[in-house]
Amino acid sequence: QPMASEQLLSDKDSEDELDDAIASLEDCRMLDDFVDVTKDEKDVMHRWNDFVRRQRVIADGHCPWACQAFVKLHAEEFRKSPSLRRCFMFLLVKFWNNHLIDGQVMNDCLSTIDVLGH
């Protein structure tokens, strides 16, 4: 495809750009390779992977914010599906076990789901 002279002479390199649609498809393909994981676990993992990629969550210190923002985005779906809520809760427990979040963040996230249900 022809390039404009500004693009040709620019210092910007498009090779490092990440296409979100391609990354999302690749993530789904890789998650499909897991045979000992339920469909809902794969769903939550895929949603989380997409979220952290799009929000550029790159540091451990971002995890509390990311969990709270992620649950606000998906709270209604988690509330309607006890299985998805349980999978998200397990994700929070994994983060807690690895000292990425504390108990207050876990409680706040699960309360966000439960409060929306009432």
Side-chain angles (χ1 to χ4, degrees):
Q1 200 174 47
M3 292 176 63
S5 60
E6 297 85 30
Q7 288 176 307
L8 187 60
L9 301 174
S10 171
D11 289 337
K12 186 173 189 251
D13 183 8
S14 65
E15 291 295 319
D16 293 332
E17 291 177 4
L18 182 63
D19 183 347
D20 285 331
I22 298 296
S24 184
L25 285 173
E26 181 66 18
D27 184 60
C28 282
R29 188 189 63 74
M30 288 178 18
L31 287 172
D32 281 342
D33 291 343
F34 291 110
V35 293
D36 59 342
V37 178
T38 69
K39 179 182 135 325
D40 286 339
E41 288 172 319
K42 290 178 185 180
D43 185 17
V44 171
M45 285 190 278
H46 177 65
R47 290 174 193 230
W48 176 257
N49 292 344
D50 269 354
F51 179 81
V52 296
R53 182 178 53 256
R54 291 173 194 265
Q55 297 301 317
R56 309 242 189 265
V57 179
I58 56 173
D60 290 353
H62 296 162
C63 203
W65 168 86
C67 288
Q68 291 169 332
F70 179 77
V71 78
K72 286 177 186 170
L73 187 63
H74 297 291
E76 186 67 24
E77 295 157 287
F78 292 162
R79 183 185 63 77
K80 289 180 180 176
S81 171
S83 179
L84 286 177
R85 183 189 186 280
R86 187 173 39 258
C87 293
F88 177 65
M89 182 184 64
F90 289 148
L91 181 64
L92 292 174
V93 169
K94 288 179 184 180
F95 291 153
W96 180 78
N97 281 335
N98 288 290
H99 308 286
L100 298 172
I101 62 173
D102 60 20
Q104 186 64 51
V105 172
M106 286 180 65
N107 187 56
D108 291 347
C109 288
L110 295 175
S111 294
T112 297
I113 296 168
D114 297 338
V115 167
L116 286 178
H118 294 98

